[in-house]
Amino acid sequence: MLDVAQLTVGRLTTLLASSDPVPGGGCAAAVAGAAGASLVAMVARLALRRTDEERLAAQLEETARQADQLAERLTALASRDVEAFTQVMRAYRLPRGTDQEKEARSQAIHEALVQAAGVPLQGVREGVSGLRLLVSVLPWVPSAALSDAGVAGWMLRACVEGAALNVRANWQSMRSAPPEELGRLDDLVAESRRLFEDVRQRMGPLANGGIPVTPS
């Protein structure tokens, strides 16, 4: 299995740019989320350096720790996404000359697609968790680091939206979506958008380009 954590950025982008379908969008979405989570850890630690309040310091330390763990989980998900889609491709290549082979192939494809949908669905959950952490730390992020917090928000939103796209694509290939999971996915995506709007509000003029221009 491809271990994304062991790749350089250059190697990963080269693999993404190749004609090989793996690694693909699901992997990229998870990596984006890992980068966003890492930035959440960074801004939490920057805020920590500016406080002498014991309770707040403990809260910021915990946020940074959780963001570190989240980044690790999302990096691992990137590798799992590669493996899951590889299994889908293998299933589609199974022989289908006899009725028995066709039945076995159909079952293998279904099981592979279930797994391939489950991995990015976890990515959606993790991306939302990252946005929750980011929103919780925003009030204490130094103004000089607000742009970093904003990038964290965009990366985590990309993770959620990209992973959700992959979930839906796999469900479409299955020609069915578990009703309870479909509802949960929609709820998670809606929550991520609300959380991201909170991030945008905190950015102020940085979020919409309304930066004052000094007359020359």
Side-chain angles (χ1 to χ4, degrees), residues 17 21 34-35 40 46 66-67 80 91 116 141-142 156 172 185 191 207:
V40 173
L46 288 173
Q66 290 184 25
R80 286 176 56 197
V141 173
L156 288 162
Q172 186 177 58
L185 176 63
E191 181 183 357

Side-chain angles (χ1 to χ4, degrees), residues 79-114:
S79 298
R80 286 176 56 197
D81 186 86
V82 172
E83 178 61 21
F85 194 71
T86 299
Q87 292 301 321
V88 171
M89 292 191 299
R90 288 173 181 165
Y92 274 108
R93 293 180 188 133
L94 290 173
R96 48 181 171 174
T98 67
D99 289 343
Q100 187 176 4
E101 287 177 341
K102 288 177 182 177
E103 183 177 351
R105 177 178 178 272
S106 178
Q107 181 62 27
I109 289 172
H110 177 79
E111 291 175 358
L113 286 171
V114 168

Side-chain angles (χ1 to χ4, degrees), residues 1-8 12 15 27 75-76 78-80 82:
M1 183 177 76
L2 180 69
D3 187 352
V4 173
Q6 299 304 313
L7 298 178
T8 64
L12 177 59
L15 289 172
C27 174
T75 301
S79 298
R80 286 176 56 197
V82 172

Side-chain angles (χ1 to χ4, degrees), residues 116-131:
V119 173
L121 184 57
Q122 184 61 31
V124 172
R125 296 189 187 102
E126 301 287 20
V128 172
S129 294
L131 284 165

Side-chain angles (χ1 to χ4, degrees), residues 97-186:
T98 67
D99 289 343
Q100 187 176 4
E101 287 177 341
K102 288 177 182 177
E103 183 177 351
R105 177 178 178 272
S106 178
Q107 181 62 27
I109 289 172
H110 177 79
E111 291 175 358
L113 286 171
V114 168
Q115 178 65 20
V119 173
L121 184 57
Q122 184 61 31
V124 172
R125 296 189 187 102
E126 301 287 20
V128 172
S129 294
L131 284 165
R132 290 172 186 156
L133 286 175
L134 177 58
V135 169
S136 75
V137 80
L138 275 179
W140 298 281
V141 173
S143 58
L146 278 178
S147 60
D148 300 296
V151 172
W154 278 108
M155 298 297 275
L156 288 162
R157 181 179 179 183
C159 171
V160 172
E161 298 284 353
L165 192 64
N166 277 270
V167 174
R168 294 188 182 102
N170 285 296
W171 283 346
Q172 186 177 58
S173 295
M174 292 163 59
R175 295 183 176 84
S176 66
E180 68 283 359
E181 294 292 353
L182 181 59
R184 290 188 190 124
L185 176 63
D186 290 342

Side-chain angles (χ1 to χ4, degrees), residues 177-199:
E180 68 283 359
E181 294 292 353
L182 181 59
R184 290 188 190 124
L185 176 63
D186 290 342
D187 288 345
L188 285 166
V189 172
E191 181 183 357
S192 76
R193 291 173 181 173
R194 290 193 298 271
L195 290 166
F196 182 74
E197 188 56 34
D198 289 343
V199 177

